[in-house]
Amino acid sequence: MGVVNGLNTKDEHTLSFNLVRYALLILLCLFTQLSYGAERTLTILNWSEYLDPELVQLFEQKYQVKVSEVYYGSDEQRSDILLQNNAYGYDLILSSGVDLQSYINRGWVAELEKEKLSFLEQLNPKWRDAFPGASQFAIPYFWGTVGIVYRHDLLKEPITHWKQLYQPSAELQGKLGMIDEPRDLIGMGLKSLGYSVNSEVNSELSEVEQVLQSQKSKVNSYIYMTLDEHSPIISGEILASMIYSGDALMVKEHSEDLTFVLPEEGGAIWVDYLTIGAKAKEPELAYAFLNFINQAEHAAQLAQYVYYATPNLAAEKLLPEEFLNDKVIYPDAESLQNSEFYKPLPAKVQRKRNIISINILP
């Protein structure tokens, strides 16, 4: 057996083998790290069931990325989530129009780089400019109303007024569903009394608090009801509930015994906006996603998935007449006559409303 530089041939072969093995292991580790590094994730703060999974999958496949959604259950909860880490890491933030200016002031959303957006001319100017700062910082996503859904087969009288929900008859007591969203709970309560949803009058707020306290024992649940075949309004556990317009149509898929009404006093008109997070990890991916979902065919598909009115005029041209003529989705001017947009309120008034909601909501 030969010896070379103090190593016999067997040792030399072993050393060579080990060197090759270690080199392969290093290459494998580097490849793994590169692979993980290449897996980009778009993080969206959003309501649940507010994106079509099919479109999300198409986007993931096209860009070879992962879409991760963080869900909130109310406007207040969304703000709490953003406060926890000062909005760090959210690439897209779904904001209500009324909260948008606050998010801008807090530095949570970035001003839009409009040259990166290919669809702006397709958007209805009415919704682009519906709230302060919207046209500079946000893309309108959907708009709709707050109304009432009820079981017309189990109630003696049709529901046409908010008062019927807030001061319910005997047949509705214990069968009411409300929303644990203070703005809607108090706002529609004010409507039931003939006041503005944006009332700043202390006596009117005290009056609505009394109404809510009286109603509380007659409410079945303040948790936003599920929209599937197990929904409490399908089973009859709830006979009438406050609800967002498109959600009423979603739950109606499971029963023809449901009617949605925008009460005669009017309701709230809301607009949801998509914004780029000021502390986004993947801002370019966020712009790509906005362009993707605003392609006319994608925006039309998304509208039909969520049953809400799209602000995308090019998408509207692709929607079926039945969808466009549905007054739940696209209420006419007469139906909207008494409805209002929410407005930001002075801090003193907001504190009063916060106290009311704390005293009412479980």
Side-chain angles (χ1 to χ4, degrees):
M1 189 175 291
V3 177
V4 180
N5 296 330
L7 292 174
N8 60 38
T9 307
K10 181 178 180 182
D11 290 336
E12 186 179 22
H13 288 163
T14 301
L15 179 61
S16 299
F17 175 80
N18 286 337
L19 287 172
V20 171
R21 185 175 64 175
Y22 292 146
L24 288 172
L25 283 171
I26 291 168
L27 287 171
L28 180 62
C29 288
L30 287 171
F31 178 79
T32 303
Q33 289 174 358
L34 287 170
S35 297
Y36 279 117
E39 187 181 34
R40 301 166 66 190
T41 299
L42 177 72
T43 304
I44 306 174
L45 185 61
N46 196 10
W47 294 100
S48 64
E49 300 181 73
Y50 212 22
L51 273 174
D52 184 347
E54 184 179 312
L55 285 176
V56 170
Q57 188 177 22
L58 283 174
F59 180 81
E60 289 177 328
Q61 291 171 350
K62 180 175 181 179
Y63 289 91
Q64 292 298 294
V65 297
K66 176 182 169 64
V67 174
S68 174
E69 292 187 79
V70 177
Y71 300 125
Y72 53 82
S74 68
D75 287 345
E76 281 196 344
Q77 189 182 13
R78 178 186 60 238
S79 296
D80 289 343
I81 290 171
L82 292 169
L83 275 168
Q84 287 173 11
N85 66 351
N86 203 27
Y88 179 79
Y90 294 107
D91 302 309
L92 286 168
I93 299 168
L94 194 288
S95 171
S96 61
V98 69
D99 287 326
L100 184 58
Q101 188 63 59
S102 169
Y103 289 5
I104 294 169
N105 294 344
R106 290 174 182 268
W108 288 347
V109 299
E111 187 167 357
L112 295 173
E113 298 178 47
K114 295 179 181 177
E115 69 277 5
K116 295 180 179 179
L117 299 167
S118 60
F119 57 87
L120 293 179
E121 292 183 0
Q122 298 172 192
L123 300 178
N124 189 327
K126 176 180 179 178
W127 306 116
R128 282 207 69 199
D129 300 321
F131 290 88
S135 61
Q136 290 80 36
F137 286 84
I139 299 299
Y141 186 55
F142 287 110
W143 67 273
T145 60
V146 180
I148 302 169
V149 63
Y150 67 95
R151 286 287 297 267
H152 60 249
D153 61 321
L154 298 178
L155 295 180
K156 295 174 184 175
E157 299 284 339
I159 294 179
T160 55
H161 296 278
W162 282 111
K163 189 174 182 179
Q164 291 169 268
L165 205 65
Y166 282 86
Q167 300 177 48
S169 62
E171 65 177 340
L172 277 175
Q173 293 180 17
K175 299 281 189 177
L176 292 178
M178 298 300 289
I179 295 180
D180 59 348
E181 174 61 70
R183 188 177 285 125
D184 294 321
L185 189 69
I186 295 169
M188 298 309 102
L190 287 163
K191 275 291 188 189
S192 77
L193 296 168
Y195 305 136
S196 168
V197 299
N198 299 302
S199 175
E200 300 177 20
V201 180
N202 194 61
S203 61
E204 294 177 1
L205 292 173
S206 296
E207 190 177 348
V208 79
E209 183 174 15
Q210 291 175 4
V211 168
L212 289 167
Q213 286 286 6
S214 177
Q215 183 209 36
K216 188 173 181 178
S217 63
K218 300 155 190 170
V219 173
N220 180 286
S221 177
Y222 288 95
I223 298 172
Y224 199 82
M225 67 181 184
T226 56
L227 307 176
D228 58 16
E229 66 273 18
H230 305 297
S231 175
I233 203 163
I234 300 296
S235 67
E237 181 183 346
I238 285 174
L239 298 183
S241 179
M242 183 186 295
I243 198 168
Y244 302 119
S245 50
D247 290 349
L249 291 177
M250 194 171 286
V251 75
K252 236 184 129 176
E253 284 186 354
H254 307 290
S255 174
E256 291 298 318
D257 296 324
L258 298 176
T259 294
F260 174 82
V261 61
L262 189 58
E264 291 180 15
E265 304 90 346
I269 306 170
W270 53 264
V271 188
D272 281 338
Y273 290 89
L274 280 168
T275 65
I276 306 281
K279 301 171 180 68
K281 291 182 179 179
E282 293 282 0
E284 297 308 313
L285 207 52
Y287 279 105
F289 189 79
L290 290 176
N291 283 320
F292 180 82
I293 63 168
N294 275 286
Q295 292 175 32
E297 65 276 15
H298 292 163
Q301 178 178 332
L302 191 49
Q304 291 176 90
Y305 176 80
V306 298
Y307 292 106
Y308 283 117
T310 176
N312 190 313
L313 298 174
E316 283 187 343
K317 294 177 182 178
L318 303 179
L319 289 168
E321 286 296 317
E322 182 182 2
F323 188 92
L324 295 170
N325 293 330
D326 192 321
K327 289 189 177 181
V328 175
I329 302 170
Y330 287 94
D332 57 29
E334 185 179 353
S335 302
L336 292 174
Q337 185 176 355
N338 297 317
S339 295
E340 302 174 75
F341 289 104
Y342 288 120
K343 298 176 183 176
L345 297 168
K348 184 178 179 180
V349 175
Q350 192 57 58
R351 280 195 298 271
K352 169 77 171 176
R353 289 183 176 228
N354 290 344
I355 292 169
I356 293 173
S357 66
I358 289 169
N359 290 337
I360 299 300
L361 292 172

